[in-house]
Amino acid sequence: MSFGAKQLLGIEHLNPSDISTLLDLADQYADRPTDIAHRNVLAGMTQINMFFENSTRTQASFELAGKRLGADVMNMAMQASSIKKGETLIDTALTLNAMHPDLLVVRHPHSGAVDLLSQKVNAAVLNAGDGKHEHPTQALLDALTIRRRKGRLHRLSVAICGDISHSRVARSNIILLGKMENRVRLIGPPTLMPSQIGELGVEIFDSMEEGLKDVDVVMMLRLQRERMDGGFIPSEREYFHRYGLDAAKLSHAKDDAIVMHPGPMNRGVEIDGTIADDINRSVIQTQVEMGVAVRMAAMDLLARNLRASRAKTGVMV
């Protein structure tokens, strides 16, 4: 399988062929998630999960993915690590590198921190979300969910709605969907729309009714209050009235449009609970399921490249 990346730091670094290769492999893992044959894929390799921000879905799915592939998985409690004692990220990276891990999964609150860490270690690094920059595996699992439900991942009309400004999920999805020749619309209040976002080749709307017209996919985003330092919305009630997804707003999309949300959801703020639970429209639970498959595929492909690189340099694998 052709996959050129040695790290997974963002969608920006992947070409369409890389994306298709990863999704094709993830498809296989999704169809046979617990096949005993998978247990040899990462056998003898060590995976360390470093989450400097709290996480439920992403950390759990990376851990499960590694264990299903046979890796030795270690979760580091970063809240109790030497970082809290004043150690720099680079010193932490050098310390970890001395332990010779094979795969490092890192989530960090600052954009670019995962990239910096990747330059100091000999392991394959996977970005599990860095600040407002990127969340590549979330975009890939969203892409796999769309492809399996729609039968394709090109020439679709996709609306990404809500807190665009603070969302690394939005950024990674915009880049991926653009690379795969889709039409992307961003919908949200001007206070939550980044300046110059139009340079990424997207259409911008501040009306849900106009923005959702005839779209194939509706992707809702969480209001990220932890990243807000001011009054970006009048109130949650007013926000839901204008930008929360309900049946009336969804009626403007195509009849077979699917509804997505990366989680965690704020029901009654970003999305009506009835829509979130509608098995005919919502693929939110499928997204969670595809997350494990995508992360299995990503670690598999990076491990192959890591083994090949080490073989060339005579390093024991």
Side-chain angles (χ1 to χ4, degrees):
M1 303 183 84
S2 175
F3 186 78
K6 295 182 179 179
Q7 317 271 9
L8 184 56
L9 303 177
I11 298 299
E12 201 166 6
H13 306 291
L14 302 180
N15 59 46
S17 176
D18 289 329
I19 293 169
S20 294
T21 294
L22 196 152
L23 295 183
D24 289 345
L25 181 57
D27 249 332
Q28 298 176 36
Y29 283 130
D31 291 336
R32 297 180 289 113
T34 58
D35 194 321
I36 195 170
H38 300 336
R39 297 181 186 176
N40 295 321
V41 173
L42 297 181
M45 304 191 89
T46 301
Q47 170 190 339
I48 299 178
N49 296 332
M50 303 170 60
F51 280 69
F52 295 85
E53 285 184 320
N54 292 330
S55 170
T56 300
R57 292 159 187 75
T58 305
Q59 183 169 352
S61 65
F62 264 116
E63 181 177 359
L64 185 57
K67 289 180 175 178
R68 284 183 177 173
L69 295 177
D72 295 318
V73 182
M74 182 176 77
N75 292 312
M76 290 191 65
M78 301 314 299
Q79 288 79 6
S81 72
S82 292
I83 289 282
K84 294 297 183 182
K85 301 175 184 177
E87 183 175 74
T88 67
L89 180 64
I90 292 177
D91 284 335
T92 298
L94 294 175
T95 299
L96 287 171
N97 198 50
M99 300 177 188
H100 304 292
D102 302 289
L103 297 154
L104 283 179
V105 180
V106 185
R107 169 170 286 190
H108 200 280
H110 297 141
S111 300
V114 181
D115 191 353
L116 175 64
L117 187 147
S118 73
Q119 299 171 29
K120 306 297 179 181
V121 298
N122 297 319
V125 176
L126 295 96
N127 183 358
D130 64 326
K132 294 186 287 186
H133 179 230
E134 279 221 47
H135 193 350
T137 57
Q138 179 67 48
L140 288 161
L141 73 88
D142 290 343
L144 183 62
T145 301
I146 293 170
R147 195 174 79 165
R148 286 171 71 94
R149 183 64 175 257
K150 290 294 183 181
R152 70 186 196 276
L153 188 62
H154 64 281
R155 297 179 184 175
L156 294 169
S157 181
V158 182
I160 304 176
C161 316
D163 186 359
I164 309 294
S165 184
H166 301 96
S167 178
R168 56 197 174 204
V169 172
R171 178 175 168 79
S172 286
N173 267 298
I174 290 167
I175 296 170
L176 188 152
L177 292 166
K179 286 177 183 282
M180 304 307 284
E181 301 178 3
N182 295 282
R183 180 181 179 184
V184 180
R185 300 178 178 184
L186 304 182
I187 310 172
T191 53
L192 294 176
M193 195 67 64
S195 60
Q196 301 178 322
I197 191 70
E199 295 177 2
L200 293 179
V202 297
E203 299 175 77
I204 300 172
F205 297 84
D206 63 5
S207 163
M208 288 284 281
E209 290 76 11
E210 292 179 17
L212 292 181
K213 185 174 176 55
D214 295 329
V215 299
D216 300 287
V217 179
V218 182
M219 187 180 297
M220 303 306 297
L221 298 173
R222 180 176 66 87
L223 270 179
Q224 299 195 35
R225 292 195 173 278
E226 71 275 16
R227 301 188 195 282
M228 298 182 186
D229 55 5
F232 287 84
I233 60 172
S235 68
E236 290 185 350
R237 182 177 180 179
E238 176 65 18
Y239 182 83
F240 179 74
H241 175 69
R242 293 200 59 188
Y243 298 103
L245 186 66
D246 55 21
K249 297 185 186 75
L250 184 58
S251 68
H252 294 272
K254 288 184 179 177
D255 291 340
D256 63 347
I258 59 173
V259 175
M260 310 180 76
H261 195 300
M265 287 185 291
N266 294 307
R267 292 170 180 258
V269 178
E270 304 125 15
I271 186 169
D272 182 81
T274 304
I275 299 296
D277 298 330
D278 183 350
I279 60 173
N280 296 313
R281 307 296 292 270
S282 172
V283 294
I284 294 170
Q285 292 306 311
T286 303
Q287 289 175 267
V288 177
E289 180 185 355
M290 293 304 105
V292 178
V294 158
R295 284 152 186 149
M296 289 172 75
M299 290 193 289
D300 181 349
L301 292 169
L302 291 178
R304 297 184 200 194
N305 290 345
L306 183 65
R307 288 191 178 105
S309 177
R310 288 175 176 176
K312 287 181 181 179
T313 58
V315 176
M316 292 293 290
V317 180

